[in-house]
Amino acid sequence: WETTMGSECAEAVINKAYYPFILYDYDRANAYFKEIDPVEETAVVFVDKPSYGIASDDTKNVGRAKNKCAYLGSACKGVVTLSNGAFELVSTFGDGVSGTQKAFSKVQMVVYLKHEETGKYIGIDKTERKLALVPTEKGDAAPFFTSYGRFISFEYPTYHMVGNTLVEMSGRIRDIDKLKTWTLKNCILQNRVSGKALDITELLTDVRKKIKKVKKVYHTTTGKPMDTTVSSQRFDLGISGKWSLTSTALGLMIGSVNNVQRFVDPDPAVMATLR
């Protein structure tokens, strides 16, 4: 049975149709797992642990195993429960031979990065020595996923974008260098309701010098009518759900010192994050 587009029935169906609402979390790997038919343990190929820094704690239970798999891009296709009760990350499920071991297949959302002015996409060129970012057509665009302010290559998940290069990652999430992540450059941030743009303004603060207090000038944020010609309204900002903010004019990052938000030298210890 078909409903003719533009008919009374079609209009009623469209008015009542429900569409999926997709949320993309910039601080997660945006992957989920679905249980598949049981697999044959001997047919499954496991992810090489030394190559991807997989520790025993990473697979101590199914939850941890799935979490680790989520951050390994194309290198990890899912998780399998072994006959001895342990869990392993799967590189490939083999030839599809059915078995008795419970398995979960990974589904991961990826993004493709496009340069609007040229219409080109970001691709990855692999040579014997290194990986390089290159402009390319849509069909050759490289997939990325995001995690804690980083664009991570789906195909080479041990690398992420820093500026216009790919840099190898090391350590765990708590070891992330917040000052070396990918950011949007030279942006104007405008509130469409008020029409004002984010700007910088002077902030006078009392500073104790030996036995007396003196006034010192710092800078903080404010809102002013948008002006595309002034450098004070230009900022670099990250992609995380809680993103950093750096003033192009000052070369300083917004931070929190003694509960006062002001621009400071780049320092993860006092860096303030915004939503």
Side-chain angles (χ1 to χ4, degrees):
W1 177 67
E2 294 182 357
T3 301
T4 306
M5 181 64 72
S7 68
E8 185 176 343
C9 287
E11 184 178 348
V13 170
I14 291 173
N15 286 336
K16 288 294 292 182
Y18 292 91
Y19 298 92
F21 181 54
I22 299 174
L23 297 175
Y24 195 88
D25 188 338
Y26 287 107
D27 287 338
R28 297 293 184 269
N30 293 282
Y32 68 90
F33 293 80
K34 56 183 182 180
E35 188 170 352
I36 59 177
D37 292 337
V39 299
E40 175 58 46
E41 184 174 323
T42 57
V44 173
V45 178
F46 302 138
V47 177
D48 183 61
K49 292 183 177 180
S51 296
Y52 295 97
I54 302 171
S56 57
D57 277 354
D58 292 328
T59 55
K60 65 186 300 183
N61 57 50
V62 69
R64 282 178 175 259
K66 289 179 179 179
N67 186 66
K68 184 64 177 180
C69 182
Y71 289 95
L72 294 183
S74 63
C76 184
K77 304 297 191 301
V79 174
V80 64
T81 305
L82 302 183
S83 55
N84 62 2
F87 302 94
E88 284 289 353
L89 308 186
V90 178
S91 174
T92 174
F93 283 103
D95 55 9
V97 177
S98 61
T100 59
Q101 299 310 122
K102 182 180 286 190
F104 303 88
S105 176
K106 182 178 74 172
V107 180
Q108 188 154 34
M109 188 190 301
V110 297
V111 294
Y112 296 89
L113 306 177
K114 180 183 180 182
H115 187 262
E116 292 291 344
E117 187 174 349
T118 63
K120 295 286 187 179
Y121 287 76
I122 291 180
I124 297 177
D125 182 37
K126 182 181 181 182
T127 65
E128 292 184 0
R129 294 185 177 181
K130 64 177 182 178
L131 298 173
L133 297 175
V134 294
T136 187
E137 301 300 325
K138 184 177 181 179
D140 296 319
F144 291 85
F145 63 95
T146 61
S147 164
Y148 294 92
R150 302 169 298 176
F151 275 122
I152 301 175
S153 168
F154 179 72
E155 297 170 328
Y156 307 98
T158 57
Y159 287 83
H160 72 127
M161 286 178 58
V162 177
N164 60 356
T165 61
L166 281 174
V167 176
E168 190 167 13
M169 298 182 295
S170 61
R172 296 178 176 271
I173 291 173
R174 63 175 175 270
D175 302 318
I176 295 172
D177 187 342
K178 297 179 181 179
L179 302 181
K180 292 183 178 180
T181 54
W182 191 89
T183 56
L184 291 164
K185 299 288 186 181
N186 206 34
C187 300
I188 294 176
L189 304 177
Q190 184 191 33
N191 185 319
R192 290 187 176 181
V193 176
S194 68
K196 291 185 176 182
L198 197 67
D199 208 323
I200 58 177
T201 187
E202 291 186 350
L203 174 70
L204 287 175
T205 304
D206 289 329
V207 178
R208 184 171 294 280
K209 293 281 188 178
K210 294 184 178 178
I211 61 173
K212 64 178 181 178
K213 290 183 178 180
V214 297
K215 294 288 186 181
K216 187 168 182 177
V217 177
Y218 294 105
H219 292 85
T220 188
T221 56
T222 188
K224 294 182 181 178
M226 190 173 76
D227 185 346
T228 59
T229 65
V230 299
S231 62
S232 62
Q233 291 186 7
R234 299 282 179 165
F235 300 90
D236 299 342
L237 61 148
I239 61 169
S240 174
K242 293 183 177 179
W243 38 270
S244 60
L245 185 75
T246 300
S247 166
T248 301
L250 300 174
L252 301 176
M253 175 179 290
I254 196 71
S256 180
V257 181
N258 297 326
N259 295 321
V260 177
Q261 198 170 87
R262 60 180 175 85
F263 285 95
V264 297
D265 290 324
D267 182 356
V270 296
M271 178 178 131
T273 55
L274 307 174
R275 275 193 179 276

